[in-house]
Amino acid sequence: MDRAVHRAFRILEAVTRASEPQRLSAIAAELDLQKSTVHRILQTLAAMGYVRQEPNGGRYRPTLRTWEMGCDVLHAHPVKRAAAPFLAELHRLTQETVSVLVPDGDDVIYLDKLIAPRPVRFTTRVGSRIPAPLTAGGQAILALEPDPRPIVERVAARLPADRGFDVETFMAALETVRSRGYAVSRNNPAVVSVGGAILGRDGRAAGALSVSAPLERTDAAKLESTIEAVRVTCTRMAEVLGQI
């Protein structure tokens, strides 16, 4: 691994991840790097158009250059290309918030989302990265993994102890997801999510579709119809994905 490239990307990620412009000293402290190193790399990134420094030697903020690159990757992604009409149809059928997500390491990344006409507050948005076991779509993806335990154990080690995440309990629940072909998650006490895997050519999940709705408007009949809609839509999308 080239150290200079590694440092440059760590600094760019830190600036991009921050909710507000960052001081050079704060970036250096967060990454445990010398200020002179951070300054040199930030100046290079600024010259390339990836960050911008506020007037009078102020804080650094990201530009939309990284967003442009991300959009190019996103629009070329086969799951994103295949998903648009299926997301729209699932949204029409359920009238709730629908998402498409793909696996990335131990996590899932949200590629697209259509919000319900009467939305509730969600913590995920397009571009969000969430540990796979903590989402209905991620659980549906894990259920098709040959051996999901290492992923589940690594995620458990990352979570705070008060989260109450138990590996053995989750693995048992994953067997249920595998046998019935969909996942139902209530990680947010006020929201229920249904996730289904989009089968790839290799028999593993290429991605997942999910529908999320507040419990207050999800009775047993609506939950059952949502599950059926997710399962049918995932099957249809898998057929199209196999042609791309």
Side-chain angles (χ1 to χ4, degrees):
M1 182 182 295
D2 187 279
R3 292 180 62 192
V5 174
H6 183 245
R7 288 172 174 173
F9 273 98
R10 288 184 66 203
I11 290 169
L12 181 58
E13 288 174 352
V15 174
T16 304
R17 193 169 52 238
S19 58
E20 58 184 11
Q22 295 292 291
R23 295 188 183 279
L24 187 153
S25 57
I27 299 169
E30 176 186 344
L31 303 179
D32 194 24
L33 294 173
Q34 295 290 329
K35 290 182 182 179
S36 58
T37 299
V38 175
H39 180 264
R40 183 179 69 253
I41 293 174
L42 282 172
Q43 292 303 303
T44 300
L45 291 173
M48 295 176 67
Y50 287 99
V51 302
R52 180 177 294 115
Q53 188 177 17
E54 293 180 337
N56 303 318
R59 304 178 182 188
Y60 292 85
R61 66 170 67 242
T63 69
L64 293 178
R65 190 77 180 270
T66 52
W67 175 75
E68 292 178 64
M69 292 177 64
C71 284
D72 289 339
V73 174
L74 179 62
H75 291 311
H77 198 291
V79 173
K80 174 66 167 63
R81 287 164 54 197
F86 296 101
L87 271 187
E89 177 65 6
L90 194 55
H91 183 64
R92 184 188 69 79
L93 289 172
T94 63
Q95 292 294 296
E96 298 295 353
T97 297
V98 298
S99 307
V100 59
L101 48 154
V102 293
D104 188 71
D106 298 343
D107 305 326
V108 292
I109 297 177
Y110 284 77
L111 295 187
D112 205 354
K113 185 182 287 281
L114 294 178
I115 306 299
R118 295 174 295 163
V120 293
R121 179 172 293 181
F122 292 100
T123 58
T124 59
R125 52 180 172 74
V126 174
S128 292
R129 174 184 289 272
I130 307 293
L134 304 187
T135 71
Q139 292 165 21
I141 289 171
L142 287 175
L144 292 183
E145 284 293 301
D147 182 15
R149 180 177 286 272
I151 295 175
V152 176
E153 290 178 344
R154 286 193 296 268
V155 168
R158 289 161 52 189
L159 297 175
D162 60 5
R163 177 85 192 207
F165 184 89
D166 180 75
V167 170
E168 298 307 324
T169 300
F170 182 83
M171 292 301 298
L174 204 59
E175 285 298 321
T176 301
V177 175
R178 182 179 294 110
S179 65
R180 66 189 183 185
Y182 63 89
V184 177
S185 173
R186 292 185 175 88
N187 281 304
N188 180 332
V191 176
V192 59
S193 297
V194 176
I198 305 161
L199 192 64
R201 294 178 181 176
D202 59 359
R204 299 168 72 180
L209 295 174
S210 70
V211 176
S212 300
L215 281 173
E216 64 188 31
R217 61 174 185 250
T218 308
D219 58 17
K222 180 169 182 178
L223 180 60
E224 192 63 32
S225 66
T226 299
I227 290 169
E228 182 63 16
V230 168
R231 294 183 65 181
V232 170
T233 306
C234 285
T235 299
R236 292 174 56 212
M237 186 172 165
E239 292 173 354
V240 170
L241 193 61
Q243 302 170 15
I244 294 179

